[in-house]
Amino acid sequence: MSRVKEGDYQALREEVKKVLKQPEYDDGSAGPVFVRSLRLAWHASGNFSLVEHNGGSNGAGMRYPPESVDPANAGLHHAISFLIPIQAANPWISHADLWTLAGTTAIQAMGGPEIPWQPGRSDYDSAEAAEEHRGVVGDRLPDGALGASHVREVFTRMGFSDREIVALSGAHALGRCHRDRSGFDGPWVVNPTRFSNQYFKLLLRPIWKPREWDGPFQYEATVAGTKLMMLPTDMALVEDAGFKPWVEKYAADQDLFFKDFSMAFGKLIELGVDRDDTGFARLVKKSAEQGKPLDQTAKPGGGSCPFAGTGAKGRSAGGVGGCPFLAMNREAKL
């Protein structure tokens, strides 16, 4: 891996793209392990709690027990190991920033939308520091064997609406489950290295039947000669009256899904990050506290870019050319 100039996040994104192709790994790509549910960027962020005000992507606590040995994080050492050469060549970036940057980069490289991202996360320097700051953050991630009430409880604890919950679930368009990790087995979609709204289209098809096997309960179907699976938490999205309308909307409109996913994922990886109370950080905090999507939350300073005013470590990594958040909203209205 190459050393890049400190602060050149676009160059760092190019380094991440170099490690995405992994012929010996799942479906030849490391991309899904960086972003998908039960994967690095998600699990580094998805243990945030508005109630206890701890967890989130800051600190990279997954490097230490108990998070590093949490069964819910099984297999994430693969993603971390893929990024170690980049970290070694560029020690100026924190693990927490690199993990989330890799997730957003992988999504876009696999055909998905640009995700709002800012640097500025710090790392804990010991297990003791992680435990003192984060507290007990276990048992906060979704259990694929449960239903709609569990899904809603997990995500509302972080400040997400039903719309955002369904949008984030669309990450199941990437990757697969592994029996030796979660107990479940198989991919959700035919092409698990391409980000799309195919997951929602498949969810709505009346093809899913309980799988007869010696593993945990899951659904299965064969599409285009490929055996696919859905978890109970996936099927809950079409069984719940609050979730299903968004499944239908995203199945019919990939652009809408991309817009909503981009904002929801950008919000997810920002939760729990210690910043000043301006710009995007303020917007995310307000969105979480109100349980509203970002585009339904009043922006700091009215219509100005929420990335503005955050200082040298808080500028958008999206490069020049205007506000990435407002650009997403403009494109969604076209």
Side-chain angles (χ1 to χ4, degrees), residues 114-137:
E114 181 179 357
I115 311 293
W117 181 88
Q118 293 181 351
R121 295 165 187 80
S122 59
D123 290 336
Y124 301 125
D125 57 10
S126 67
E128 292 74 21
E131 182 177 1
E132 179 181 356
H133 185 270
R134 291 172 81 79
V136 179
V137 296

Side-chain angles (χ1 to χ4, degrees), residues 117 120 234 262 297 330:
W117 181 88
D234 297 309
S262 177
T297 306
R330 285 195 297 270

Side-chain angles (χ1 to χ4, degrees), residues 36-39 42-43 70-73 139-152 154-155 169 172 176-178 181-186 188 199 203 213 215-219 229-237 239:
R36 186 174 60 76
S37 174
L38 300 177
R39 290 300 182 259
W42 184 290
H43 276 208
D70 187 335
N73 293 328
D139 299 322
R140 289 184 177 178
L141 297 168
D143 184 337
L146 300 180
S149 60
H150 166 72
V151 173
R152 192 171 276 113
V154 167
F155 283 92
S169 298
H172 282 177
R176 61 177 62 232
C177 285
H178 302 78
R181 300 175 195 175
S182 65
F184 301 105
D185 178 62
W188 286 267
Y199 167 76
L203 262 180
W213 71 319
F217 182 82
Q218 64 180 65
Y219 296 88
M229 65 111 229
M230 290 287 176
L231 304 175
T233 45
D234 297 309
M235 299 307 294
L237 300 181
E239 296 166 351

Side-chain angles (χ1 to χ4, degrees), residues 197 200-201 204 245-257:
N197 66 339
F200 298 111
K201 292 182 177 181
L204 292 172
W246 291 107
V247 174
E248 294 171 334
K249 289 177 186 292
Y250 296 147
D253 189 342
Q254 180 167 276
D255 290 340
L256 175 64
F257 165 52

Side-chain angles (χ1 to χ4, degrees), residues 64-129:
Y64 306 109
E67 285 184 73
S68 63
V69 295
D70 187 335
N73 293 328
L76 289 178
H77 64 281
H78 293 293
I80 295 173
S81 67
F82 292 145
L83 295 174
I84 284 177
I86 299 177
Q87 181 76 46
N90 298 278
W92 54 266
I93 187 171
S94 66
H95 289 87
D97 269 349
L98 181 58
W99 292 358
T100 52
L101 179 68
T104 62
T105 300
I107 289 169
Q108 193 168 6
M110 291 185 288
E114 181 179 357
I115 311 293
W117 181 88
Q118 293 181 351
R121 295 165 187 80
S122 59
D123 290 336
Y124 301 125
D125 57 10
S126 67
E128 292 74 21

Side-chain angles (χ1 to χ4, degrees), residues 12 23 50 58 64 68 79 99 114 134 142 175 180 201 223 230 274 287 290 299 329:
L12 210 56
L50 277 170
N58 204 51
Y64 306 109
S68 63
W99 292 358
E114 181 179 357
R134 291 172 81 79
D180 62 343
K201 292 182 177 181
V223 178
M230 290 287 176
D274 296 324
S287 171
Q290 294 181 356
K299 302 176 190 64
N329 284 326

